[in-house]
Amino acid sequence: MGETEFYKANSVKEACDLLAQFGERATLLAGGTDLMVLVNRRQLIPEVLVYIGECGLNYIREEETGLVIGAATPHVEIVRSELVQKKAPLLAKVISTIGSPAIQNQGTIGGNLGNASPAADSAVALLALGASLKLVAAGWERTVPAADFFVGPGKTVLKPGEIIQEIIIPEEAAEYKWAFRKIGKRRADVCPTVSAAVAVKTENGRCKAARIALGSVAPTPLLSKKAPEMLVGKTVDAALIADVAKAVAEETDPIDDVRATAWYRRRASEALVKELLSQVIG
Ligand SMILES: Cc1cc2nc3c(=O)[nH]c(=O)nc-3n(C[C@H](O)[C@H](O)[C@H](O)COP(=O)(O)OP(=O)(O)OC[C@H]3O[C@@H](n4cnc5c(N)ncnc54)[C@H](O)[C@@H]3O)c2cc1C
């Protein structure tokens, strides 16, 4: 086994240049909470590690486009940020449930997205908030909706040499009523069996906009297509909530694994959506 070369990038440009230089040999390292598990189990033996934890991607700020969070911002800073609590309280709440204090100190939002687990909690929140991701490489940058970022378990639209630079949450996200819940075997240090986030905007008693996202029930974090079609423009009552919950559960494509059966996950999705929608629309 060869030795791993380690490079600490001092800027985003340097990180991109290192990725361009080493190509497929390079692996990005942020907090290491996912990556080092693979390394310790010998499921991954990186040739070149490019560390981005101190390259200037740790920030939370308000810009014209909305709330902007650098990809290497640790979870704990997002949870504690007054700006996030004001502009995107759903995200602060969801991230506060990730792992444990140790994982939240070490893990980053970009790593949670880059790992592309169908269970990634921050992904569920960002889908419900209508967020976008700014991706950067040596020579180009582009912005993609979070809804288009995941393509399969552990797979994203990231091209070779690209990194997630920042997450952009639109200003109007603050206008949504929201609710989140995740079901797991225990409260800490465990990935969710099923999770769901609901974000709804109402006006004069009618639903103006709605997003429902779920985790651990499909090959990628799932943003419901049917929910907005069924809810927008309607006065939402218990019967409609029950229909939406059923329709969202039908959109899931869960698997049996050590945490739960597919049958359970589909039933739990329906129950969670019903509970959360009732909570926000009352
Ligand atoms: C005990 C335990 C409990 C956990 N509980 C939860 C939980 O409840 N909910 C949950 O969602 N997750 C959970 N996790 C998973 C984990 O903490 C997150 O996925 C974490 O946020 C990863 O961030 P990181 O900075 O440590 O990423 P790393 O481990 O450094 O990287 C993860 C992956 O993302 C890539 N990457 C990192 N940064 C970027 C970037 N900017 N652009 C592109 N790719 C990038 C890396 O190359 C790697 O492939 C848990 C993990 C452990 C070990």
Side-chain angles (χ1 to χ4, degrees):
M1 187 185 87
E3 287 195 354
T4 300
E5 287 175 47
F6 181 91
Y7 293 86
K8 174 175 166 287
N10 292 308
S11 65
V12 177
K13 183 181 179 317
E14 204 175 304
C16 293
D17 288 345
L18 285 163
L19 290 187
Q21 180 184 341
F22 291 107
E24 284 183 0
R25 293 176 59 214
T27 305
L28 270 186
L29 171 68
T33 60
D34 282 322
L35 207 63
M36 295 317 290
V37 174
L38 299 179
V39 172
N40 289 339
R41 289 182 186 155
R42 300 256 181 256
Q43 289 166 345
L44 175 74
I45 303 171
E47 280 188 57
V48 177
L49 278 177
V50 177
Y51 174 61
I52 55 162
E54 293 168 46
C55 77
L57 283 180
N58 179 350
Y59 52 85
I60 299 171
R61 57 189 180 226
E62 212 175 347
E63 291 184 8
E64 262 179 30
T65 45
L67 179 67
V68 178
I69 302 175
T73 306
H75 300 309
V76 67
E77 290 183 27
I78 296 170
V79 174
R80 289 185 185 159
S81 159
E82 283 180 17
L83 198 54
V84 178
Q85 282 165 21
K86 193 168 144 214
K87 298 287 178 181
L90 168 61
L91 183 66
K93 167 69 189 172
V94 170
I95 290 190
S96 76
T97 70
I98 290 183
S100 60
I103 294 293
Q104 287 185 26
N105 280 323
Q106 190 65 26
T108 65
I109 187 165
N112 195 226
L113 299 170
N115 191 51
S117 161
D121 280 319
S122 65
V124 172
L126 294 173
L127 289 174
L129 290 168
S132 307
L133 309 183
K134 184 172 164 192
L135 314 179
V136 65
W140 76 88
E141 60 178 48
R142 61 187 175 126
T143 302
V144 298
D148 296 340
F149 181 71
F150 303 100
V151 293
K155 294 199 170 70
T156 69
V157 297
L158 279 172
K159 295 178 185 162
E162 265 184 338
I163 70 174
I164 306 165
Q165 180 171 7
E166 58 191 25
I167 293 97
I168 304 150
I169 300 168
E171 183 68 33
E172 56 131 28
E175 295 162 23
Y176 283 70
K177 292 186 208 161
W178 59 271
F180 168 76
R181 190 167 158 206
K182 82 182 190 190
I183 301 173
K185 296 266 185 215
R186 52 173 200 260
R187 277 174 190 246
D189 268 350
V190 67
C191 281
T193 306
V194 180
S195 62
V198 164
V200 174
K201 199 151 76 163
T202 50
E203 201 175 72
N204 303 324
R206 284 179 190 273
C207 176
K208 211 177 158 203
R211 286 193 213 92
I212 298 180
L214 295 104
S216 300
V217 296
T220 65
L222 177 76
L223 179 65
S224 167
K225 287 195 172 69
K226 287 187 188 162
E229 286 169 16
M230 294 174 76
L231 287 165
V232 174
K234 307 271 174 53
T235 304
V236 182
D237 59 14
L240 180 55
I241 288 176
D243 288 346
V244 171
K246 208 165 176 208
V248 173
E250 279 165 13
E251 285 179 274
T252 66
D253 182 16
I255 54 163
D256 294 328
D257 69 9
V258 287
R259 298 205 298 274
T261 60
W263 178 88
Y264 174 86
R265 285 188 157 105
R266 195 165 276 130
R267 294 291 306 269
S269 302
E270 183 174 344
L272 275 187
V273 171
K274 200 167 167 185
E275 176 190 316
L276 298 178
L277 259 183
S278 307
Q279 225 173 296
V280 290
I281 299 191

